[in-house]
Short mmCIF file of all heavy atoms in Angstrom, two decimals:
data_model
loop_
_atom_site.label_atom_id
_atom_site.label_comp_id
_atom_site.label_asym_id
_atom_site.label_seq_id
_atom_site.Cartn_x
_atom_site.Cartn_y
_atom_site.Cartn_z
N ALA A 1 0.83 -1.20 0.00
CA ALA A 1 0.00 0.00 0.00
C ALA A 1 0.87 1.26 0.00
O ALA A 1 0.55 2.22 -0.69
CB ALA A 1 -0.93 0.00 1.20
N ILE A 2 1.93 1.24 0.79
CA ILE A 2 2.80 2.42 0.87
C ILE A 2 3.49 2.66 -0.47
O ILE A 2 3.55 3.79 -0.95
CB ILE A 2 3.83 2.28 2.01
CG1 ILE A 2 3.10 2.28 3.34
CG2 ILE A 2 4.87 3.38 1.95
CD1 ILE A 2 3.96 1.94 4.53
N LYS A 3 3.98 1.59 -1.09
CA LYS A 3 4.64 1.72 -2.39
C LYS A 3 3.67 2.30 -3.42
O LYS A 3 4.02 3.21 -4.17
CB LYS A 3 5.17 0.36 -2.85
CG LYS A 3 5.89 0.42 -4.17
CD LYS A 3 6.41 -0.95 -4.57
CE LYS A 3 7.02 -0.87 -5.96
NZ LYS A 3 7.44 -2.16 -6.44
N THR A 4 2.46 1.80 -3.44
CA THR A 4 1.45 2.31 -4.38
C THR A 4 1.16 3.78 -4.09
O THR A 4 1.05 4.58 -5.02
CB THR A 4 0.15 1.49 -4.28
OG1 THR A 4 0.45 0.14 -4.60
CG2 THR A 4 -0.92 2.02 -5.21
N ALA A 5 1.05 4.14 -2.83
CA ALA A 5 0.77 5.53 -2.47
C ALA A 5 1.89 6.46 -2.93
O ALA A 5 1.63 7.54 -3.46
CB ALA A 5 0.57 5.65 -0.96
N ILE A 6 3.13 6.04 -2.76
CA ILE A 6 4.26 6.84 -3.21
C ILE A 6 4.27 6.95 -4.73
O ILE A 6 4.49 8.02 -5.29
CB ILE A 6 5.59 6.29 -2.68
CG1 ILE A 6 5.66 6.49 -1.16
CG2 ILE A 6 6.78 6.97 -3.36
CD1 ILE A 6 6.84 5.80 -0.50
N GLU A 7 4.00 5.86 -5.41
CA GLU A 7 3.96 5.88 -6.88
C GLU A 7 2.87 6.82 -7.39
O GLU A 7 3.08 7.55 -8.36
CB GLU A 7 3.74 4.47 -7.44
CG GLU A 7 4.95 3.58 -7.30
CD GLU A 7 4.67 2.13 -7.66
OE1 GLU A 7 3.53 1.79 -8.02
OE2 GLU A 7 5.62 1.33 -7.58
N LEU A 8 1.73 6.82 -6.75
CA LEU A 8 0.62 7.68 -7.18
C LEU A 8 0.87 9.15 -6.88
O LEU A 8 0.48 10.02 -7.64
CB LEU A 8 -0.69 7.24 -6.52
CG LEU A 8 -1.27 5.92 -7.00
CD1 LEU A 8 -2.43 5.52 -6.12
CD2 LEU A 8 -1.70 6.02 -8.45
N SER A 9 1.52 9.42 -5.75
CA SER A 9 1.69 10.81 -5.33
C SER A 9 3.03 11.40 -5.74
O SER A 9 3.14 12.60 -5.92
CB SER A 9 1.56 10.91 -3.81
OG SER A 9 2.67 10.27 -3.20
N GLY A 10 4.04 10.57 -5.87
CA GLY A 10 5.36 11.06 -6.26
C GLY A 10 6.25 11.48 -5.12
O GLY A 10 7.41 11.78 -5.33
N ASN A 11 5.72 11.53 -3.89
CA ASN A 11 6.57 11.90 -2.76
C ASN A 11 6.01 11.36 -1.45
O ASN A 11 4.88 10.89 -1.39
CB ASN A 11 6.73 13.43 -2.69
CG ASN A 11 5.43 14.14 -2.41
OD1 ASN A 11 4.78 13.91 -1.41
ND2 ASN A 11 5.03 15.02 -3.32
N GLY A 12 6.81 11.43 -0.42
CA GLY A 12 6.42 10.89 0.88
C GLY A 12 5.24 11.59 1.51
O GLY A 12 4.35 10.95 2.07
N GLN A 13 5.22 12.93 1.44
CA GLN A 13 4.11 13.68 2.02
C GLN A 13 2.80 13.30 1.34
O GLN A 13 1.80 13.06 2.00
CB GLN A 13 4.35 15.19 1.85
CG GLN A 13 3.22 16.06 2.35
CD GLN A 13 3.18 16.17 3.85
OE1 GLN A 13 4.21 16.23 4.48
NE2 GLN A 13 2.00 16.20 4.42
N GLY A 14 2.82 13.25 0.03
CA GLY A 14 1.61 12.86 -0.70
C GLY A 14 1.20 11.44 -0.39
O GLY A 14 0.01 11.12 -0.31
N ALA A 15 2.18 10.56 -0.19
CA ALA A 15 1.88 9.17 0.14
C ALA A 15 1.13 9.08 1.47
O ALA A 15 0.15 8.35 1.60
CB ALA A 15 3.15 8.34 0.20
N ILE A 16 1.58 9.86 2.44
CA ILE A 16 0.91 9.86 3.75
C ILE A 16 -0.54 10.34 3.59
O ILE A 16 -1.46 9.75 4.15
CB ILE A 16 1.68 10.74 4.75
CG1 ILE A 16 3.02 10.07 5.08
CG2 ILE A 16 0.86 10.99 6.01
CD1 ILE A 16 3.99 10.95 5.82
N LEU A 17 -0.73 11.40 2.82
CA LEU A 17 -2.08 11.90 2.62
C LEU A 17 -2.94 10.94 1.81
O LEU A 17 -4.14 10.82 2.04
CB LEU A 17 -2.04 13.29 1.98
CG LEU A 17 -1.53 14.36 2.94
CD1 LEU A 17 -1.23 15.65 2.20
CD2 LEU A 17 -2.53 14.61 4.05
N GLY A 18 -2.32 10.24 0.87
CA GLY A 18 -3.04 9.21 0.12
C GLY A 18 -3.50 8.08 1.03
O GLY A 18 -4.64 7.61 0.93
N LEU A 19 -2.61 7.66 1.92
CA LEU A 19 -2.97 6.60 2.87
C LEU A 19 -4.04 7.08 3.84
O LEU A 19 -4.95 6.33 4.20
CB LEU A 19 -1.74 6.11 3.62
CG LEU A 19 -0.73 5.34 2.77
CD1 LEU A 19 0.56 5.13 3.55
CD2 LEU A 19 -1.30 4.02 2.31
N LEU A 20 -3.95 8.35 4.25
CA LEU A 20 -4.98 8.92 5.12
C LEU A 20 -6.33 8.92 4.40
O LEU A 20 -7.36 8.57 4.98
CB LEU A 20 -4.60 10.34 5.54
CG LEU A 20 -5.61 11.07 6.41
CD1 LEU A 20 -5.82 10.34 7.75
CD2 LEU A 20 -5.16 12.51 6.64
N GLY A 21 -6.30 9.30 3.13
CA GLY A 21 -7.54 9.29 2.35
C GLY A 21 -8.13 7.88 2.26
O GLY A 21 -9.34 7.69 2.40
N ALA A 22 -7.27 6.89 2.06
CA ALA A 22 -7.75 5.51 1.99
C ALA A 22 -8.34 5.07 3.33
O ALA A 22 -9.39 4.42 3.37
CB ALA A 22 -6.61 4.58 1.59
N LEU A 23 -7.69 5.43 4.42
CA LEU A 23 -8.19 5.08 5.76
C LEU A 23 -9.57 5.70 5.98
O LEU A 23 -10.51 5.03 6.42
CB LEU A 23 -7.22 5.56 6.83
CG LEU A 23 -7.70 5.43 8.27
CD1 LEU A 23 -7.83 3.96 8.68
CD2 LEU A 23 -6.78 6.16 9.22
N ILE A 24 -9.69 6.98 5.66
CA ILE A 24 -10.97 7.66 5.86
C ILE A 24 -12.03 7.11 4.92
O ILE A 24 -13.19 6.95 5.30
CB ILE A 24 -10.79 9.18 5.71
CG1 ILE A 24 -9.95 9.70 6.88
CG2 ILE A 24 -12.12 9.91 5.62
CD1 ILE A 24 -9.49 11.12 6.75
N GLY A 25 -11.63 6.80 3.69
CA GLY A 25 -12.57 6.23 2.74
C GLY A 25 -13.14 4.90 3.20
O GLY A 25 -14.31 4.61 2.97
N GLN A 26 -12.33 4.11 3.85
CA GLN A 26 -12.78 2.80 4.34
C GLN A 26 -13.53 2.90 5.66
O GLN A 26 -14.54 2.24 5.85
CB GLN A 26 -11.57 1.87 4.54
CG GLN A 26 -11.10 1.23 3.27
CD GLN A 26 -12.10 0.24 2.72
OE1 GLN A 26 -12.50 -0.70 3.40
NE2 GLN A 26 -12.52 0.45 1.50
N SER A 27 -13.01 3.71 6.58
CA SER A 27 -13.55 3.70 7.94
C SER A 27 -14.60 4.77 8.22
O SER A 27 -15.38 4.63 9.15
CB SER A 27 -12.40 3.88 8.94
OG SER A 27 -11.84 5.18 8.79
N LYS A 28 -14.55 5.86 7.45
CA LYS A 28 -15.45 7.00 7.67
C LYS A 28 -15.30 7.58 9.08
O LYS A 28 -16.25 8.11 9.65
CB LYS A 28 -16.91 6.62 7.42
CG LYS A 28 -17.17 5.90 6.13
CD LYS A 28 -16.98 6.78 4.94
CE LYS A 28 -17.45 6.06 3.69
NZ LYS A 28 -16.66 6.28 2.54
N ILE A 29 -14.08 7.50 9.64
CA ILE A 29 -13.87 7.95 11.02
C ILE A 29 -13.92 9.47 11.17
O ILE A 29 -14.11 9.96 12.27
CB ILE A 29 -12.55 7.42 11.61
CG1 ILE A 29 -11.35 7.88 10.77
CG2 ILE A 29 -12.59 5.92 11.77
CD1 ILE A 29 -10.00 7.54 11.37
N ILE A 30 -13.76 10.18 10.07
CA ILE A 30 -13.85 11.64 10.08
C ILE A 30 -14.34 12.07 8.70
O ILE A 30 -14.14 11.38 7.71
CB ILE A 30 -12.48 12.29 10.44
CG1 ILE A 30 -12.61 13.79 10.64
CG2 ILE A 30 -11.44 11.95 9.40
CD1 ILE A 30 -11.35 14.44 11.21
N ASP A 31 -14.97 13.21 8.66
CA ASP A 31 -15.50 13.73 7.40
C ASP A 31 -14.34 14.14 6.48
O ASP A 31 -13.45 14.89 6.89
CB ASP A 31 -16.39 14.94 7.69
CG ASP A 31 -16.97 15.54 6.44
OD1 ASP A 31 -17.60 14.81 5.66
OD2 ASP A 31 -16.77 16.75 6.23
N ALA A 32 -14.36 13.65 5.26
CA ALA A 32 -13.29 13.93 4.30
C ALA A 32 -13.16 15.42 4.03
O ALA A 32 -12.05 15.94 3.86
CB ALA A 32 -13.53 13.17 3.00
N GLU A 33 -14.26 16.14 4.02
CA GLU A 33 -14.19 17.58 3.76
C GLU A 33 -13.47 18.32 4.88
O GLU A 33 -12.78 19.31 4.64
CB GLU A 33 -15.58 18.16 3.53
CG GLU A 33 -15.56 19.57 2.97
CD GLU A 33 -14.71 19.72 1.70
OE1 GLU A 33 -14.78 18.87 0.80
OE2 GLU A 33 -13.96 20.72 1.62
N ALA A 34 -13.60 17.84 6.11
CA ALA A 34 -12.87 18.45 7.23
C ALA A 34 -11.36 18.29 7.04
O ALA A 34 -10.59 19.20 7.33
CB ALA A 34 -13.31 17.81 8.55
N VAL A 35 -10.94 17.14 6.52
CA VAL A 35 -9.52 16.92 6.25
C VAL A 35 -9.06 17.81 5.11
O VAL A 35 -7.99 18.42 5.18
CB VAL A 35 -9.24 15.43 5.95
CG1 VAL A 35 -7.78 15.23 5.59
CG2 VAL A 35 -9.62 14.57 7.15
N ARG A 36 -9.85 17.91 4.06
CA ARG A 36 -9.51 18.79 2.94
C ARG A 36 -9.33 20.24 3.43
O ARG A 36 -8.42 20.94 3.01
CB ARG A 36 -10.58 18.75 1.85
CG ARG A 36 -10.58 17.49 1.04
CD ARG A 36 -11.58 17.61 -0.12
NE ARG A 36 -11.80 16.33 -0.72
CZ ARG A 36 -12.86 15.55 -0.50
NH1 ARG A 36 -13.83 15.95 0.31
NH2 ARG A 36 -12.96 14.38 -1.09
N LYS A 37 -10.20 20.66 4.33
CA LYS A 37 -10.11 22.01 4.88
C LYS A 37 -8.79 22.22 5.61
O LYS A 37 -8.13 23.25 5.44
CB LYS A 37 -11.29 22.26 5.84
CG LYS A 37 -11.32 23.62 6.45
CD LYS A 37 -12.52 23.78 7.36
CE LYS A 37 -12.50 25.13 8.04
NZ LYS A 37 -13.65 25.28 8.95
N GLU A 38 -8.37 21.23 6.37
CA GLU A 38 -7.09 21.32 7.09
C GLU A 38 -5.90 21.29 6.14
O GLU A 38 -4.91 21.99 6.36
CB GLU A 38 -6.97 20.20 8.12
CG GLU A 38 -7.91 20.36 9.30
CD GLU A 38 -7.71 21.67 10.04
OE1 GLU A 38 -6.56 22.06 10.32
OE2 GLU A 38 -8.73 22.33 10.33
N ILE A 39 -6.00 20.50 5.08
CA ILE A 39 -4.93 20.48 4.07
C ILE A 39 -4.82 21.87 3.43
O ILE A 39 -3.72 22.40 3.26
CB ILE A 39 -5.18 19.39 3.01
CG1 ILE A 39 -5.06 18.00 3.64
CG2 ILE A 39 -4.19 19.53 1.84
CD1 ILE A 39 -5.52 16.87 2.74
N ARG A 40 -5.97 22.46 3.09
CA ARG A 40 -5.96 23.80 2.50
C ARG A 40 -5.35 24.82 3.46
O ARG A 40 -4.61 25.72 3.05
CB ARG A 40 -7.38 24.22 2.10
CG ARG A 40 -7.89 23.52 0.89
CD ARG A 40 -9.27 24.07 0.45
NE ARG A 40 -9.86 23.19 -0.53
CZ ARG A 40 -10.78 22.26 -0.26
NH1 ARG A 40 -11.24 22.10 0.96
NH2 ARG A 40 -11.26 21.49 -1.22
N LYS A 41 -5.70 24.70 4.75
CA LYS A 41 -5.18 25.62 5.75
C LYS A 41 -3.65 25.47 5.88
O LYS A 41 -2.93 26.45 5.97
CB LYS A 41 -5.84 25.36 7.10
CG LYS A 41 -5.51 26.41 8.14
CD LYS A 41 -6.01 26.15 9.54
CE LYS A 41 -7.33 25.52 9.70
NZ LYS A 41 -7.71 25.33 11.12
N SER A 42 -3.18 24.24 5.84
CA SER A 42 -1.75 23.98 6.02
C SER A 42 -0.91 24.36 4.81
O SER A 42 0.24 24.77 4.97
CB SER A 42 -1.52 22.50 6.35
OG SER A 42 -2.12 22.17 7.57
N PHE A 43 -1.44 24.16 3.61
CA PHE A 43 -0.64 24.33 2.40
C PHE A 43 -1.18 25.40 1.46
O PHE A 43 -0.72 25.52 0.33
CB PHE A 43 -0.55 23.00 1.64
CG PHE A 43 0.10 21.91 2.44
CD1 PHE A 43 -0.66 20.94 3.06
CD2 PHE A 43 1.48 21.88 2.59
CE1 PHE A 43 -0.06 19.94 3.81
CE2 PHE A 43 2.09 20.88 3.33
CZ PHE A 43 1.31 19.91 3.95
N GLY A 44 -2.14 26.19 1.90
CA GLY A 44 -2.80 27.17 1.04
C GLY A 44 -1.87 28.16 0.37
O GLY A 44 -2.12 28.59 -0.75
N ALA A 45 -0.79 28.52 1.02
CA ALA A 45 0.14 29.50 0.45
C ALA A 45 1.06 28.90 -0.59
O ALA A 45 1.74 29.62 -1.31
CB ALA A 45 0.97 30.13 1.57
N LYS A 46 1.07 27.58 -0.67
CA LYS A 46 1.96 26.87 -1.60
C LYS A 46 1.09 26.13 -2.61
O LYS A 46 0.83 24.94 -2.46
CB LYS A 46 2.85 25.91 -0.83
CG LYS A 46 3.67 26.60 0.25
CD LYS A 46 4.33 25.61 1.16
CE LYS A 46 4.98 26.34 2.31
NZ LYS A 46 5.39 25.44 3.36
N GLU A 47 0.67 26.83 -3.64
CA GLU A 47 -0.34 26.32 -4.56
C GLU A 47 0.00 24.96 -5.17
O GLU A 47 -0.84 24.06 -5.22
CB GLU A 47 -0.59 27.34 -5.68
CG GLU A 47 -1.80 27.00 -6.52
CD GLU A 47 -2.13 28.11 -7.50
OE1 GLU A 47 -2.02 29.29 -7.14
OE2 GLU A 47 -2.50 27.77 -8.62
N LYS A 48 1.23 24.78 -5.62
CA LYS A 48 1.61 23.52 -6.26
C LYS A 48 1.57 22.36 -5.26
O LYS A 48 1.06 21.28 -5.56
CB LYS A 48 3.01 23.65 -6.87
CG LYS A 48 3.44 22.44 -7.66
CD LYS A 48 4.80 22.67 -8.30
CE LYS A 48 5.23 21.42 -9.07
NZ LYS A 48 6.55 21.60 -9.69
N ILE A 49 2.07 22.61 -4.06
CA ILE A 49 2.07 21.58 -3.02
C ILE A 49 0.64 21.30 -2.57
O ILE A 49 0.27 20.14 -2.36
CB ILE A 49 2.96 22.00 -1.84
CG1 ILE A 49 4.42 22.07 -2.30
CG2 ILE A 49 2.81 21.03 -0.67
CD1 ILE A 49 5.36 22.68 -1.29
N LEU A 50 -0.17 22.34 -2.45
CA LEU A 50 -1.57 22.16 -2.06
C LEU A 50 -2.28 21.25 -3.04
O LEU A 50 -2.95 20.28 -2.64
CB LEU A 50 -2.28 23.52 -1.99
CG LEU A 50 -3.79 23.47 -1.79
CD1 LEU A 50 -4.14 22.82 -0.47
CD2 LEU A 50 -4.37 24.86 -1.88
N LYS A 51 -2.14 21.53 -4.33
CA LYS A 51 -2.80 20.71 -5.34
C LYS A 51 -2.33 19.26 -5.28
O LYS A 51 -3.13 18.33 -5.31
CB LYS A 51 -2.57 21.27 -6.74
CG LYS A 51 -3.26 20.46 -7.82
CD LYS A 51 -3.02 20.98 -9.20
CE LYS A 51 -3.70 20.21 -10.30
NZ LYS A 51 -4.07 18.86 -10.09
N SER A 52 -1.04 19.06 -5.17
CA SER A 52 -0.48 17.72 -5.10
C SER A 52 -1.01 16.95 -3.90
O SER A 52 -1.39 15.78 -4.00
CB SER A 52 1.05 17.82 -5.05
OG SER A 52 1.62 16.56 -4.83
N ASN A 53 -1.06 17.62 -2.76
CA ASN A 53 -1.52 16.96 -1.54
C ASN A 53 -3.03 16.67 -1.58
O ASN A 53 -3.47 15.60 -1.16
CB ASN A 53 -1.16 17.79 -0.31
CG ASN A 53 0.31 17.72 0.01
OD1 ASN A 53 1.00 16.78 -0.36
ND2 ASN A 53 0.81 18.72 0.69
N LEU A 54 -3.81 17.60 -2.10
CA LEU A 54 -5.25 17.34 -2.25
C LEU A 54 -5.50 16.21 -3.24
O LEU A 54 -6.35 15.35 -3.00
CB LEU A 54 -5.99 18.60 -2.70
CG LEU A 54 -6.26 19.65 -1.62
CD1 LEU A 54 -6.84 20.90 -2.25
CD2 LEU A 54 -7.18 19.11 -0.54
N ASP A 55 -4.75 16.21 -4.33
CA ASP A 55 -4.89 15.13 -5.31
C ASP A 55 -4.58 13.77 -4.69
O ASP A 55 -5.29 12.79 -4.92
CB ASP A 55 -3.99 15.35 -6.52
CG ASP A 55 -4.46 16.48 -7.43
OD1 ASP A 55 -5.60 16.96 -7.25
OD2 ASP A 55 -3.68 16.88 -8.31
N ALA A 56 -3.51 13.70 -3.89
CA ALA A 56 -3.12 12.44 -3.25
C ALA A 56 -4.20 11.99 -2.27
O ALA A 56 -4.58 10.81 -2.24
CB ALA A 56 -1.78 12.61 -2.54
N PHE A 57 -4.69 12.91 -1.46
CA PHE A 57 -5.75 12.58 -0.50
C PHE A 57 -7.00 12.07 -1.22
O PHE A 57 -7.56 11.03 -0.87
CB PHE A 57 -6.08 13.80 0.36
CG PHE A 57 -7.21 13.57 1.31
CD1 PHE A 57 -7.02 12.81 2.45
CD2 PHE A 57 -8.46 14.09 1.06
CE1 PHE A 57 -8.08 12.58 3.34
CE2 PHE A 57 -9.52 13.86 1.93
CZ PHE A 57 -9.32 13.11 3.07
N ASN A 58 -7.41 12.81 -2.25
CA ASN A 58 -8.61 12.43 -3.00
C ASN A 58 -8.43 11.08 -3.72
O ASN A 58 -9.38 10.30 -3.80
CB ASN A 58 -8.98 13.52 -3.99
CG ASN A 58 -9.50 14.75 -3.30
OD1 ASN A 58 -10.11 14.69 -2.24
ND2 ASN A 58 -9.26 15.91 -3.88
N LYS A 59 -7.25 10.82 -4.22
CA LYS A 59 -6.98 9.54 -4.89
C LYS A 59 -7.10 8.40 -3.89
O LYS A 59 -7.67 7.34 -4.20
CB LYS A 59 -5.61 9.56 -5.55
CG LYS A 59 -5.34 8.35 -6.41
CD LYS A 59 -6.30 8.30 -7.58
CE LYS A 59 -5.96 7.16 -8.51
NZ LYS A 59 -6.91 7.04 -9.62
N GLY A 60 -6.56 8.59 -2.69
CA GLY A 60 -6.70 7.57 -1.65
C GLY A 60 -8.16 7.31 -1.30
O GLY A 60 -8.58 6.15 -1.17
N LEU A 61 -8.94 8.36 -1.19
CA LEU A 61 -10.38 8.21 -0.94
C LEU A 61 -11.04 7.43 -2.07
O LEU A 61 -11.82 6.51 -1.82
CB LEU A 61 -11.06 9.59 -0.87
CG LEU A 61 -11.09 10.32 0.44
CD1 LEU A 61 -11.67 11.71 0.23
CD2 LEU A 61 -11.89 9.58 1.48
N GLU A 62 -10.73 7.83 -3.28
CA GLU A 62 -11.32 7.20 -4.46
C GLU A 62 -11.01 5.71 -4.52
O GLU A 62 -11.91 4.88 -4.78
CB GLU A 62 -10.74 7.91 -5.70
CG GLU A 62 -11.33 7.51 -7.01
CD GLU A 62 -10.66 8.28 -8.14
OE1 GLU A 62 -10.71 9.52 -8.12
OE2 GLU A 62 -10.09 7.63 -9.03
N ILE A 63 -9.78 5.35 -4.27
CA ILE A 63 -9.40 3.93 -4.29
C ILE A 63 -10.13 3.16 -3.20
O ILE A 63 -10.67 2.08 -3.44
CB ILE A 63 -7.86 3.78 -4.15
CG1 ILE A 63 -7.18 4.28 -5.43
CG2 ILE A 63 -7.48 2.34 -3.86
CD1 ILE A 63 -5.68 4.42 -5.31
N ALA A 64 -10.18 3.73 -2.01
CA ALA A 64 -10.82 3.04 -0.89
C ALA A 64 -12.32 2.87 -1.09
O ALA A 64 -12.90 1.87 -0.69
CB ALA A 64 -10.54 3.79 0.41
N GLU A 65 -12.92 3.86 -1.72
CA GLU A 65 -14.37 3.82 -1.91
C GLU A 65 -14.74 3.05 -3.18
O GLU A 65 -15.92 2.83 -3.44
CB GLU A 65 -14.93 5.24 -1.95
CG GLU A 65 -14.81 5.93 -0.60
CD GLU A 65 -15.22 7.39 -0.62
OE1 GLU A 65 -15.30 7.99 -1.71
OE2 GLU A 65 -15.45 7.93 0.47
N GLY A 66 -13.75 2.66 -3.96
CA GLY A 66 -14.00 1.85 -5.13
C GLY A 66 -14.56 2.59 -6.32
O GLY A 66 -15.18 2.01 -7.19
N ASP A 67 -14.33 3.90 -6.39
CA ASP A 67 -14.82 4.70 -7.53
C ASP A 67 -13.86 4.71 -8.66
O ASP A 67 -12.71 4.72 -8.60
CB ASP A 67 -15.10 6.15 -7.06
CG ASP A 67 -16.26 6.20 -6.08
OD1 ASP A 67 -17.05 5.25 -6.06
OD2 ASP A 67 -16.37 7.19 -5.35
#
């Protein structure tokens, strides 16, 4: 799973967010939009990094939810 997350995201930070997305997609332990809001808050000033991290998170959700 970690190898796949790194391959999809291209870096370690994105891999962590991809795995977080997969965890949330499977468990529904927290609202995905709340996590997206925190990602935006943390990386909002860095547009390229923000997009990459949101993409990784969303991809993890998508994989976990089977879409």
Side-chain angles (χ1 to χ4, degrees):
I2 294 171
K3 182 179 175 184
T4 300
I6 292 171
E7 288 172 359
L8 290 171
S9 68
N11 64 59
Q13 177 76 37
I16 291 168
L17 289 168
L19 291 170
L20 178 62
L23 172 67
I24 292 170
Q26 279 292 304
S27 67
K28 311 291 188 219
I29 60 173
I30 188 171
D31 180 54
E33 192 53 44
V35 176
R36 286 186 192 101
K37 181 179 176 182
E38 290 302 314
I39 293 170
R40 286 186 192 99
K41 189 186 321 181
S42 296
F43 300 101
K46 303 169 187 168
E47 191 173 321
K48 185 177 179 181
I49 295 171
L50 172 62
K51 181 181 180 337
S52 173
N53 286 337
L54 282 173
D55 288 349
F57 177 75
N58 290 330
K59 187 64 175 177
L61 274 174
E62 186 180 301
I63 290 169
E65 293 174 342
D67 293 340

